[in-house]
Amino acid sequence: MKNLVILISGSGTNLQRIIDCISNGEIRNAKVNLVIADRECFGLERAEKYNIPNLLIKRGKDFSENLENAIPENTDLIVLAGFLSILKPEFCKKWEGKMINIHPALLPKFGGKGMWGHHVHNAVIEAGEKESGATVHFVTSGIDEGEIILQGKFDVEENDSAETLAQKVHQVEYDIFPKAIDWVLNK
C-alpha cells in the first residue's frame, strides 16, 4: 500500500475526489496517510470525516521546517491539491519525483507566481485563448515548471467568464487528477 500525504488550502474538493477514487479503485494500491493544511479550511473537516490524520500548519517563519517535520518518512507521494503556499527549494529537492501538483490551466501557459484560481481564469479570457484546462505536473523549485504528467482541455466559449471556466476546469481536474496519481504510484 502506497502512502499519500495531501497538502490543501481550501474546501478540499480534490481531496474528496482522491478519497473517492481510492475507495472505488480508480487509484490503486494507495491510502491517504495524512492531510496537511496551511490555513483553516473545510478540507480539514473532510479529512476528519474519513478519520484521516490531519494537521494545520499555519504559514509563517517556521512553516517549511514544520511541514518537513510533519511528513512521515514512509511517504510515497505528496499531492498538492489546491495548496497555495510556495514551498522552499530545499523541500522541493528532497521530494523531487515524489511530489505532484494540479494547476488550473494548460501549462506552460498561465503558470507561475500569482497564477491561481480566478487570476488564471481571468488571464485566459483576457488573452483570448481558444482552449483551457488543467495540468498535473511534478513539483520542482520553479513554480509550475515541473515535468507535465497529464493535461485535460476544453474549448473556451465566447460567453465564458472566470466563474464558468473555473467550473469547467474543476470537471477536468476531477477526471485527470486520479489518473495521474494512479500512474505515478503504479507505473
Side-chain angles (χ1 to χ4, degrees):
M1 193 67 67
K2 305 282 178 84
N3 294 309
L4 304 179
V5 172
I6 314 290
L7 306 184
I8 61 172
S9 295
S11 65
T13 55
N14 276 310
L15 168 63
Q16 184 67 58
R17 180 78 173 123
I18 292 165
I19 292 167
D20 293 345
C21 287
I22 289 171
S23 178
N24 71 24
E26 283 182 65
I27 299 173
R28 299 164 293 151
N29 191 32
K31 68 175 184 161
V32 179
N33 214 25
L34 179 63
V35 172
I36 301 174
D38 64 353
R39 62 199 74 196
E40 292 285 348
C41 62
F42 186 69
L44 290 172
E45 292 179 37
R46 287 185 196 270
E48 283 289 327
K49 177 181 172 188
Y50 292 93
N51 297 312
I52 299 169
N54 59 85
L55 290 170
L56 170 62
I57 302 176
K58 291 191 176 180
R59 295 190 305 179
K61 175 169 80 76
D62 298 326
F63 175 73
S64 289
E65 184 180 336
N66 292 337
L67 180 61
E68 179 64 47
N69 292 335
I71 295 182
E73 285 300 318
N74 68 344
T75 298
D76 295 293
L77 186 65
I78 298 173
V79 179
L80 282 59
F83 187 67
L84 298 176
S85 290
I86 304 298
L87 299 168
K88 286 195 170 177
E90 304 80 38
F91 183 86
C92 294
K93 190 73 176 156
K94 176 178 179 181
W95 293 100
E96 193 170 328
K98 289 184 159 195
M99 185 164 45
I100 65 173
N101 181 45
I102 189 145
H103 184 76
L106 296 173
L107 292 174
K109 291 182 175 181
F110 309 107
K113 192 169 179 151
M115 280 291 155
W116 57 273
H118 70 278
H119 301 290
V120 172
H121 308 310
N122 285 330
V124 167
I125 290 169
E126 287 170 17
E129 292 292 317
K130 299 294 182 212
E131 60 184 14
S132 190
T135 304
V136 181
H137 64 94
F138 284 104
V139 176
T140 62
S141 56
I143 301 168
D144 299 326
E145 294 177 4
E147 178 187 347
I148 292 171
I149 300 165
L150 188 60
Q151 289 184 315
K153 57 186 169 184
F154 58 85
D155 291 335
V156 176
E157 306 295 329
E158 219 172 279
N159 61 345
D160 271 326
S161 64
E163 292 76 26
T164 61
L165 285 186
Q167 292 168 354
K168 291 178 181 182
V169 165
H170 278 303
Q171 291 310 306
V172 170
E173 288 177 344
Y174 299 155
D175 178 48
I176 68 171
F177 213 10
K179 290 175 183 171
I181 293 168
D182 183 72
W183 181 82
V184 170
L185 290 176
N186 299 297
K187 63 182 172 198

